[in-house]
Coordinates of all heavy atoms in Angstrom, one line a residue:
R187 N -4.3 -18.1 -14.9 CA -3.2 -18.3 -15.9 C -2.4 -17.1 -16.1 O -2.9 -16.0 -16.0 CB -4.0 -18.9 -17.1 CG -4.7 -20.2 -16.9 CD -5.1 -20.8 -18.2 NE -4.2 -20.7 -19.3 CZ -3.7 -21.7 -19.9 NH1 -4.0 -22.8 -19.6 NH2 -2.9 -21.6 -20.9
I188 N -1.2 -17.4 -16.6 CA -0.2 -16.3 -16.8 C -0.7 -15.3 -17.9 O -0.3 -14.2 -17.9 CB 1.2 -16.9 -17.0 CG1 2.2 -15.7 -16.8 CG2 1.4 -17.6 -18.4 CD1 3.6 -16.3 -16.6
E189 N -1.3 -15.9 -18.9 CA -1.8 -15.1 -20.0 C -2.8 -13.9 -19.6 O -2.8 -12.8 -20.0 CB -2.5 -15.9 -21.1 CG -1.5 -16.7 -21.9 CD -1.2 -18.1 -21.1 OE1 -2.0 -18.4 -20.2 OE2 -0.2 -18.8 -21.5
I190 N -3.7 -14.4 -18.5 CA -4.6 -13.4 -18.0 C -3.9 -12.3 -17.2 O -4.2 -11.2 -17.3 CB -5.6 -14.1 -17.1 CG1 -6.5 -15.1 -17.9 CG2 -6.5 -13.0 -16.4 CD1 -7.3 -16.0 -17.1
L191 N -2.8 -12.7 -16.5 CA -2.1 -11.7 -15.7 C -1.3 -10.7 -16.7 O -1.2 -9.6 -16.5 CB -1.0 -12.4 -14.9 CG -1.6 -13.1 -13.6 CD1 -0.4 -13.9 -12.9 CD2 -2.2 -12.2 -12.7
Y192 N -0.9 -11.4 -17.8 CA -0.1 -10.5 -18.8 C -1.2 -9.4 -19.4 O -0.8 -8.3 -19.6 CB 0.4 -11.4 -20.0 CG 0.8 -10.5 -21.2 CD1 1.9 -9.8 -21.1 CD2 0.1 -10.5 -22.4 CE1 2.4 -9.0 -22.2 CE2 0.4 -9.7 -23.5 CZ 1.6 -9.0 -23.4 OH 2.0 -8.2 -24.4
Q193 N -2.4 -9.9 -19.7 CA -3.4 -8.9 -20.3 C -3.7 -7.8 -19.2 O -3.8 -6.7 -19.6 CB -4.7 -9.7 -20.7 CG -4.5 -10.5 -21.9 CD -4.0 -9.8 -23.1 OE1 -4.4 -8.8 -23.4 NE2 -3.2 -10.5 -23.9
K194 N -3.8 -8.2 -18.0 CA -4.0 -7.1 -17.0 C -2.9 -6.2 -16.8 O -3.0 -5.0 -16.7 CB -4.4 -7.8 -15.6 CG -5.8 -8.5 -15.6 CD -6.1 -9.0 -14.2 CE -7.4 -9.7 -14.3 NZ -8.5 -8.7 -14.3
L195 N -1.7 -6.7 -16.9 CA -0.4 -5.9 -16.8 C -0.4 -5.0 -18.0 O -0.1 -3.8 -17.8 CB 0.8 -6.8 -16.7 CG 2.2 -6.1 -16.7 CD1 2.4 -5.2 -15.5 CD2 3.3 -7.0 -17.1
K196 N -0.7 -5.5 -19.1 CA -0.6 -4.6 -20.4 C -1.7 -3.5 -20.2 O -1.3 -2.4 -20.6 CB -0.9 -5.6 -21.6 CG -0.9 -4.7 -22.9 CD -1.0 -5.7 -24.1 CE -2.4 -6.0 -24.2 NZ -2.7 -6.6 -25.6
Q197 N -2.9 -3.8 -19.8 CA -3.8 -2.8 -19.6 C -3.5 -1.7 -18.6 O -3.7 -0.6 -18.9 CB -5.2 -3.5 -19.2 CG -6.3 -2.5 -19.1 CD -7.6 -3.3 -18.6 OE1 -7.6 -4.3 -18.1 NE2 -8.7 -2.6 -18.8
K198 N -2.9 -2.2 -17.5 CA -2.4 -1.2 -16.4 C -1.3 -0.3 -17.0 O -1.3 0.9 -16.7 CB -1.8 -2.0 -15.3 CG -2.7 -2.2 -14.1 CD -3.2 -1.0 -13.4 CE -3.5 -1.3 -12.1 NZ -4.4 -0.4 -11.5
L199 N -0.4 -0.9 -17.8 CA 0.8 -0.1 -18.3 C 0.4 0.7 -19.5 O 0.9 1.9 -19.6 CB 1.9 -1.0 -18.8 CG 2.7 -1.7 -17.5 CD1 3.7 -2.8 -18.0 CD2 3.4 -0.8 -16.6
F200 N -0.4 0.3 -20.4 CA -0.6 0.9 -21.7 C -2.0 1.3 -22.0 O -2.4 1.8 -23.0 CB 0.0 0.0 -22.8 CG 1.4 -0.3 -22.5 CD1 1.7 -1.5 -22.3 CD2 2.4 0.7 -22.7 CE1 3.1 -2.0 -22.1 CE2 3.8 0.3 -22.5 CZ 4.1 -1.0 -22.3
G201 N -3.0 0.8 -21.1 CA -4.4 1.0 -21.4 C -4.9 2.5 -21.3 O -5.9 2.8 -22.0
Q202 N -4.2 3.3 -20.5 CA -4.7 4.7 -20.3 C -3.6 5.6 -21.0 O -2.5 5.3 -20.9 CB -4.9 5.0 -18.9 CG -5.9 4.1 -18.2 CD -5.8 4.2 -16.8 OE1 -5.4 5.2 -16.3 NE2 -6.4 3.2 -16.0
P203 N -4.1 6.7 -21.6 CA -3.1 7.7 -22.1 C -2.2 8.2 -21.0 O -2.8 8.5 -19.9 CB -4.0 8.8 -22.7 CG -5.3 8.3 -22.6 CD -5.5 7.1 -21.8
C204 N -1.0 8.3 -21.3 CA 0.0 8.7 -20.3 C 0.2 10.3 -20.5 O 0.4 10.7 -21.5 CB 1.3 7.9 -20.4 SG 2.5 8.4 -19.1
S205 N 0.3 11.0 -19.4 CA 0.5 12.4 -19.6 C 1.9 12.8 -19.9 O 2.2 13.8 -20.5 CB 0.0 13.2 -18.3 OG 0.8 12.8 -17.1
N206 N 2.8 11.8 -19.5 CA 4.2 12.0 -19.8 C 4.8 10.9 -20.5 O 4.9 9.8 -19.9 CB 5.0 12.1 -18.4 CG 6.4 12.3 -18.5 OD1 7.0 12.5 -19.7 ND2 7.1 12.6 -17.5
P207 N 5.0 11.0 -21.8 CA 5.4 9.9 -22.6 C 6.8 9.4 -22.3 O 7.3 8.3 -22.6 CB 5.5 10.4 -24.1 CG 5.6 11.9 -23.9 CD 4.9 12.2 -22.5
F208 N 7.6 10.1 -21.5 CA 8.9 9.8 -21.1 C 9.0 9.2 -19.7 O 10.1 9.0 -19.2 CB 9.8 11.0 -21.2 CG 10.0 11.5 -22.6 CD1 9.3 12.7 -22.9 CD2 10.6 10.8 -23.6 CE1 9.4 13.2 -24.2 CE2 10.6 11.4 -25.0 CZ 10.0 12.6 -25.1
L209 N 7.9 9.0 -19.1 CA 7.8 8.3 -17.8 C 8.4 6.9 -17.8 O 8.1 6.1 -18.7 CB 6.4 8.2 -17.4 CG 6.1 7.7 -16.0 CD1 6.6 8.6 -14.9 CD2 4.5 7.4 -15.8
R210 N 9.2 6.7 -16.9 CA 9.9 5.4 -16.8 C 9.0 4.4 -15.9 O 8.6 4.9 -14.8 CB 11.3 5.5 -16.2 CG 12.3 6.1 -17.1 CD 13.7 6.2 -16.5 NE 13.9 4.8 -16.1 CZ 15.1 4.1 -16.5 NH1 15.9 4.6 -17.4 NH2 15.2 2.9 -16.0
R211 N 8.9 3.2 -16.4 CA 8.1 2.3 -15.6 C 9.0 1.0 -15.5 O 9.7 0.6 -16.4 CB 6.9 1.9 -16.4 CG 5.9 3.1 -16.5 CD 4.8 2.8 -17.4 NE 5.5 3.0 -18.8 CZ 4.7 3.1 -19.9 NH1 3.4 3.0 -19.8 NH2 5.3 3.4 -21.1
A212 N 8.9 0.4 -14.3 CA 9.6 -0.8 -14.0 C 8.7 -2.0 -13.7 O 7.7 -1.8 -13.0 CB 10.6 -0.6 -12.9
I213 N 9.0 -3.1 -14.2 CA 8.4 -4.4 -13.9 C 9.3 -5.3 -13.2 O 10.4 -5.6 -13.7 CB 7.8 -5.0 -15.2 CG1 6.8 -4.1 -15.9 CG2 7.1 -6.4 -14.8 CD1 6.4 -4.7 -17.3
V214 N 9.0 -5.7 -12.0 CA 9.9 -6.6 -11.2 C 9.5 -8.0 -11.4 O 8.2 -8.3 -11.2 CB 9.8 -6.1 -9.7 CG1 10.8 -7.0 -8.8 CG2 10.3 -4.7 -9.6
V215 N 10.3 -8.9 -11.9 CA 9.9 -10.3 -12.0 C 10.8 -11.1 -11.1 O 11.9 -10.8 -10.8 CB 10.2 -10.6 -13.5 CG1 9.1 -9.8 -14.4 CG2 11.6 -10.3 -14.0
P216 N 10.3 -12.3 -10.8 CA 11.1 -13.2 -9.9 C 12.2 -14.0 -10.5 O 13.0 -14.5 -9.8 CB 10.0 -14.1 -9.4 CG 8.9 -14.2 -10.5 CD 9.0 -12.8 -11.1
S217 N 12.2 -14.0 -11.9 CA 13.3 -14.9 -12.4 C 13.5 -14.5 -13.9 O 12.8 -13.7 -14.5 CB 12.9 -16.4 -12.5 OG 11.8 -16.6 -13.4
S218 N 14.7 -14.9 -14.4 CA 15.0 -14.5 -15.8 C 14.1 -15.2 -16.8 O 13.9 -14.7 -17.8 CB 16.5 -14.9 -16.0 OG 16.7 -16.3 -15.8
A219 N 13.6 -16.4 -16.4 CA 12.7 -17.1 -17.2 C 11.4 -16.3 -17.5 O 10.9 -16.2 -18.6 CB 12.3 -18.5 -16.7
I220 N 10.8 -15.7 -16.4 CA 9.7 -14.9 -16.5 C 10.0 -13.6 -17.3 O 9.2 -13.2 -18.1 CB 9.1 -14.5 -15.2 CG1 8.6 -15.8 -14.4 CG2 7.9 -13.5 -15.2 CD1 7.4 -16.5 -15.0
K221 N 11.1 -13.0 -17.0 CA 11.6 -11.8 -17.8 C 11.6 -12.1 -19.4 O 11.1 -11.4 -20.1 CB 12.9 -11.4 -17.3 CG 13.5 -10.2 -18.1 CD 14.9 -9.8 -17.6 CE 15.4 -8.7 -18.4 NZ 16.7 -8.2 -17.9
N222 N 12.2 -13.2 -19.7 CA 12.3 -13.6 -21.1 C 11.0 -13.9 -21.7 O 10.6 -13.5 -22.8 CB 13.2 -14.8 -21.3 CG 14.7 -14.5 -20.9 OD1 15.1 -13.5 -21.0 ND2 15.5 -15.5 -20.6
W223 N 10.1 -14.5 -20.9 CA 8.8 -14.7 -21.4 C 8.0 -13.5 -21.7 O 7.3 -13.3 -22.7 CB 8.0 -15.7 -20.4 CG 6.6 -16.0 -20.9 CD1 6.1 -17.0 -21.7 CD2 5.4 -15.2 -20.5 NE1 4.8 -16.9 -21.9 CE2 4.3 -15.8 -21.3 CE3 5.2 -14.2 -19.7 CZ2 3.0 -15.4 -21.0 CZ3 3.9 -13.6 -19.7 CH2 2.8 -14.3 -20.3
L224 N 8.1 -12.6 -20.6 CA 7.4 -11.4 -20.7 C 7.9 -10.5 -21.9 O 7.0 -9.9 -22.7 CB 7.6 -10.6 -19.5 CG 6.8 -9.3 -19.3 CD1 5.3 -9.5 -19.5 CD2 7.0 -8.7 -17.9
M225 N 9.2 -10.5 -22.1 CA 9.7 -9.7 -23.3 C 9.3 -10.3 -24.6 O 8.9 -9.6 -25.5 CB 11.2 -9.7 -23.2 CG 11.7 -8.8 -22.1 SD 13.5 -8.8 -21.7 CE 14.2 -8.8 -23.3
L226 N 9.2 -11.6 -24.7 CA 8.8 -12.3 -25.9 C 7.2 -12.1 -26.2 O 6.8 -11.7 -27.3 CB 8.9 -13.8 -25.8 CG 8.5 -14.6 -27.0 CD1 9.3 -14.3 -28.1 CD2 8.7 -16.2 -26.7
E227 N 6.4 -12.1 -25.1 CA 5.0 -11.8 -25.3 C 4.8 -10.4 -25.7 O 3.9 -10.1 -26.6 CB 4.2 -12.1 -23.9 CG 4.1 -13.4 -23.6 CD 3.2 -14.2 -24.7 OE1 2.1 -13.7 -25.0 OE2 3.7 -15.2 -25.1
M228 N 5.5 -9.4 -25.2 CA 5.4 -8.0 -25.6 C 5.8 -7.8 -27.0 O 5.3 -7.0 -27.8 CB 6.2 -7.1 -24.7 CG 5.5 -6.9 -23.4 SD 6.4 -5.8 -22.4 CE 5.3 -5.5 -21.0
A229 N 6.9 -8.6 -27.4 CA 7.4 -8.4 -28.9 C 6.3 -9.0 -29.8 O 6.2 -8.5 -31.0 CB 8.7 -9.2 -28.9
K230 N 5.7 -10.1 -29.4 CA 4.7 -10.8 -30.3 C 3.3 -10.0 -30.4 O 2.6 -10.2 -31.2 CB 4.5 -12.2 -29.9 CG 5.7 -13.0 -30.0 CD 5.2 -14.5 -29.8 CE 4.5 -14.8 -28.6 NZ 4.3 -16.2 -28.3
D231 N 3.0 -9.3 -29.3 CA 1.7 -8.5 -29.2 C 1.4 -7.5 -30.2 O 2.2 -6.5 -30.3 CB 1.6 -7.9 -27.7 CG 0.2 -7.6 -27.3 OD1 -0.6 -7.3 -28.2 OD2 -0.1 -7.7 -26.2
P232 N 0.4 -7.8 -31.1 CA 0.2 -6.7 -32.1 C -0.4 -5.4 -31.6 O -0.3 -4.4 -32.3 CB -0.9 -7.5 -33.0 CG -1.6 -8.4 -32.0 CD -0.5 -8.8 -31.1
D233 N -0.9 -5.4 -30.4 CA -1.3 -4.1 -29.8 C -0.3 -3.2 -29.4 O -0.5 -2.0 -29.2 CB -2.3 -4.4 -28.5 CG -3.5 -5.1 -29.0 OD1 -4.0 -5.0 -30.1 OD2 -4.1 -5.9 -28.1
L234 N 0.9 -3.8 -29.0 CA 2.1 -2.9 -28.6 C 3.0 -2.7 -29.8 O 3.7 -3.6 -30.3 CB 2.8 -3.7 -27.6 CG 2.0 -4.0 -26.2 CD1 2.9 -4.7 -25.2 CD2 1.4 -2.7 -25.6
T235 N 3.0 -1.5 -30.2 CA 4.0 -1.1 -31.3 C 5.3 -0.6 -30.7 O 6.4 -0.9 -31.2 CB 3.3 -0.1 -32.3 OG1 3.0 1.0 -31.4 CG2 2.2 -0.6 -33.0
V236 N 5.2 0.2 -29.7 CA 6.4 0.8 -29.0 C 6.2 0.6 -27.4 O 5.1 1.1 -27.0 CB 6.7 2.3 -29.4 CG1 7.7 2.8 -28.6 CG2 6.8 2.3 -30.8
A237 N 7.1 0.1 -26.8 CA 7.0 0.1 -25.3 C 8.3 0.9 -24.7 O 9.2 0.2 -24.2 CB 7.0 -1.4 -24.9
A238 N 8.2 2.1 -24.9 CA 9.3 3.0 -24.4 C 9.3 3.2 -23.0 O 8.1 3.3 -22.4 CB 9.4 4.2 -25.3
G239 N 10.4 3.4 -22.3 CA 10.5 3.7 -20.9 C 10.1 2.6 -20.0 O 9.8 2.8 -18.8
L240 N 10.2 1.4 -20.5 CA 9.9 0.2 -19.8 C 11.1 -0.6 -19.4 O 12.0 -0.9 -20.2 CB 8.9 -0.6 -20.6 CG 8.4 -1.9 -19.9 CD1 7.5 -1.4 -18.8 CD2 7.5 -2.6 -20.9
E241 N 11.2 -1.0 -18.2 CA 12.4 -1.7 -17.7 C 11.9 -3.0 -17.0 O 11.1 -2.8 -16.0 CB 13.3 -0.9 -16.8 CG 14.5 -1.6 -16.3 CD 15.3 -0.7 -15.3 OE1 14.9 0.3 -15.0 OE2 16.5 -1.2 -15.1
I242 N 12.4 -4.2 -17.4 CA 12.0 -5.3 -16.7 C 13.2 -5.8 -16.0 O 14.2 -6.1 -16.5 CB 11.5 -6.4 -17.8 CG1 10.4 -5.8 -18.6 CG2 11.1 -7.8 -17.1 CD1 10.0 -6.8 -19.7
I243 N 13.0 -5.9 -14.7 CA 14.3 -6.2 -13.9 C 13.9 -7.3 -12.9 O 12.8 -7.5 -12.5 CB 14.7 -5.0 -13.1 CG1 13.7 -4.3 -12.2 CG2 15.4 -4.0 -14.0 CD1 14.1 -3.1 -11.4
G244 N 15.0 -8.1 -12.6 CA 14.8 -9.2 -11.6 C 14.7 -8.7 -10.3 O 15.3 -7.6 -9.9
I245 N 14.1 -9.5 -9.4 CA 14.0 -9.0 -8.0 C 15.4 -8.9 -7.2 O 15.4 -8.1 -6.4 CB 13.0 -10.0 -7.2 CG1 12.6 -9.4 -5.9 CG2 13.7 -11.4 -7.0 CD1 11.3 -9.8 -5.4
E246 N 16.3 -9.7 -7.7 CA 17.6 -9.6 -7.0 C 18.2 -8.2 -7.3 O 18.9 -7.7 -6.4 CB 18.5 -10.7 -7.5 CG 19.0 -10.7 -8.9 CD 17.9 -11.2 -9.9 OE1 16.9 -11.9 -9.5 OE2 18.1 -11.0 -11.1
K247 N 18.1 -7.7 -8.5 CA 18.6 -6.4 -8.7 C 17.9 -5.3 -7.9 O 18.4 -4.3 -7.5 CB 18.5 -6.0 -10.2 CG 19.6 -6.8 -11.0 CD 19.6 -6.4 -12.4 CE 20.7 -7.1 -13.1 NZ 20.8 -6.6 -14.6
V248 N 16.5 -5.5 -7.8 CA 15.8 -4.5 -7.1 C 16.2 -4.5 -5.5 O 16.5 -3.4 -4.9 CB 14.3 -4.9 -7.1 CG1 13.5 -3.9 -6.1 CG2 13.8 -4.6 -8.5
V249 N 16.5 -5.7 -5.0 CA 17.0 -5.9 -3.6 C 18.3 -5.1 -3.5 O 18.6 -4.5 -2.5 CB 17.0 -7.3 -3.1 CG1 17.7 -7.5 -1.8 CG2 15.5 -7.8 -3.1
D250 N 19.2 -5.4 -4.4 CA 20.5 -4.8 -4.4 C 20.4 -3.3 -4.4 O 21.2 -2.6 -3.7 CB 21.4 -5.2 -5.5 CG 21.9 -6.6 -5.4 OD1 21.8 -7.2 -4.3 OD2 22.3 -7.3 -6.4
K251 N 19.5 -2.8 -5.2 CA 19.3 -1.3 -5.2 C 18.7 -0.7 -4.0 O 19.1 0.5 -3.6 CB 18.5 -0.9 -6.5 CG 19.1 -1.0 -7.8 CD 18.2 -0.6 -8.9 CE 18.9 -0.7 -10.3 NZ 18.1 -0.3 -11.3
L252 N 17.8 -1.4 -3.4 CA 17.2 -1.0 -2.2 C 17.9 -1.1 -0.9 O 17.8 -0.3 0.0 CB 15.8 -1.6 -2.1 CG 14.7 -1.3 -3.1 CD1 13.5 -2.1 -2.9 CD2 14.4 0.2 -3.3
V253 N 18.7 -2.2 -0.8 CA 19.5 -2.4 0.4 C 20.7 -1.7 0.3 O 21.5 -1.9 -0.6 CB 19.7 -3.9 0.6 CG1 20.6 -4.2 1.7 CG2 18.3 -4.7 0.7
V254 N 21.1 -0.9 1.4 CA 22.4 -0.2 1.2 C 23.4 -1.1 1.9 O 23.3 -1.5 3.0 CB 22.2 1.1 2.1 CG1 23.6 1.8 2.2 CG2 21.2 2.0 1.6
K255 N 24.3 -1.4 1.0 CA 25.4 -2.3 1.5 C 26.4 -1.5 2.2 O 26.9 -0.5 1.7 CB 26.0 -3.1 0.3 CG 25.1 -4.0 -0.4 CD 25.8 -4.7 -1.7 CE 24.7 -5.7 -2.2 NZ 25.2 -6.4 -3.4
K256 N 26.9 -2.1 3.3 CA 27.9 -1.4 4.1 C 29.2 -1.7 3.3 O 29.6 -2.7 2.9 CB 28.1 -2.0 5.5 CG 26.8 -1.7 6.3 CD 27.0 -2.1 7.6 CE 25.7 -1.7 8.5 NZ 25.8 -2.1 9.9
K257 N 30.0 -0.6 3.1 CA 31.2 -0.7 2.4 C 32.4 -0.1 3.1 O 32.3 1.0 3.7 CB 31.1 0.0 1.1 CG 32.3 0.0 0.2 CD 32.2 0.9 -1.0 CE 33.5 1.1 -1.7 NZ 33.6 2.1 -2.6
I258 N 33.5 -0.7 3.3 CA 34.7 -0.3 3.9 C 35.4 0.8 2.9 O 35.7 0.2 1.8 CB 35.6 -1.3 4.5 CG1 34.8 -2.2 5.5 CG2 36.8 -0.8 5.1 CD1 35.6 -3.5 5.8
P259 N 35.6 1.9 3.3 CA 36.3 2.8 2.4 C 37.8 2.5 2.2 O 38.4 2.0 3.0 CB 36.2 4.2 3.0 CG 36.0 3.9 4.5 CD 35.2 2.6 4.5
S260 N 38.2 2.6 0.9 CA 39.5 2.3 0.6 C 40.5 3.5 1.1 O 40.0 4.5 1.5 CB 39.7 2.3 -0.9 OG 39.7 3.6 -1.6
L261 N 41.8 3.2 1.1 CA 42.8 4.2 1.6 C 42.7 5.5 0.7 O 42.8 6.6 1.2 CB 44.1 3.6 1.6 CG 44.4 2.6 2.5 CD1 45.9 2.0 2.4 CD2 44.4 3.1 4.0
L262 N 42.4 5.4 -0.6 CA 42.2 6.5 -1.4 C 41.1 7.4 -1.1 O 41.1 8.6 -0.9 CB 42.3 6.1 -2.9 CG 42.0 7.2 -4.0 CD1 43.2 8.2 -3.9 CD2 41.7 6.6 -5.3
E263 N 40.0 6.7 -0.8 CA 38.7 7.4 -0.4 C 38.9 8.0 0.9 O 38.4 9.2 1.1 CB 37.5 6.3 -0.3 CG 37.1 5.9 -1.7 CD 36.1 4.8 -1.6 OE1 36.2 4.0 -0.7 OE2 35.3 4.8 -2.4
L264 N 39.6 7.4 1.9 CA 39.9 8.1 3.1 C 40.8 9.3 3.0 O 40.7 10.2 3.6 CB 40.5 7.0 4.1 CG 39.6 5.9 4.7 CD1 40.4 4.9 5.4 CD2 38.5 6.6 5.5
G265 N 41.8 9.2 2.0 CA 42.7 10.3 1.9 C 42.0 11.5 1.2 O 42.4 12.6 1.4
L266 N 41.0 11.3 0.4 CA 40.3 12.3 -0.3 C 39.2 13.0 0.6 O 38.8 14.1 0.4 CB 39.6 11.9 -1.5 CG 40.6 11.4 -2.7 CD1 39.8 10.8 -3.8 CD2 41.4 12.5 -3.2
A267 N 39.0 12.3 1.7 CA 37.9 12.8 2.7 C 38.3 14.1 3.5 O 39.4 14.4 3.7 CB 37.4 11.7 3.6

């Protein structure tokens, strides 16, 4: 069940003291519905008072960041080169 997965995720992210409180963590989710559900669960969770440095992003954005898109340079970019 998804609630069990949420508890395991919460334990992984916040269960152990972090040596760097400013460490950024990313959770990749398959859809905006799961992202919204996860954000709601974290907001309702009495164990979580602050979830700083946490980013919940969709898989499509991760793919966009990881895949280098080929881009044709503009005339301005070519002129500055």
Side-chain angles (χ1 to χ4, degrees):
R187 295 190 40 121
I188 196 166
E189 292 84 10
I190 295 170
L191 291 174
Y192 170 72
Q193 292 300 324
K194 290 187 179 282
L195 176 67
K196 183 175 78 168
Q197 182 181 16
K198 264 298 203 199
L199 290 174
F200 306 109
Q202 301 167 18
C204 182
S205 61
N206 182 357
F208 300 107
L209 180 67
R210 291 185 47 122
R211 295 168 280 192
I213 301 172
V214 179
V215 294
S217 69
S218 60
I220 296 292
K221 177 181 177 177
N222 292 337
W223 179 85
L224 186 56
M225 288 173 42
L226 181 63
E227 285 300 306
M228 287 184 165
K230 293 188 315 186
D231 195 325
D233 294 335
L234 299 179
T235 53
V236 175
L240 186 63
E241 182 180 8
I242 303 171
I243 54 177
I245 194 153
E246 66 280 349
K247 287 190 179 181
V248 171
V249 170
D250 284 344
K251 286 182 180 181
L252 293 177
V253 175
V254 177
K255 295 182 179 181
K256 293 183 179 178
K257 180 185 167 198
I258 299 172
S260 70
L261 291 174
L262 177 64
E263 291 171 323
L264 287 173
L266 295 174

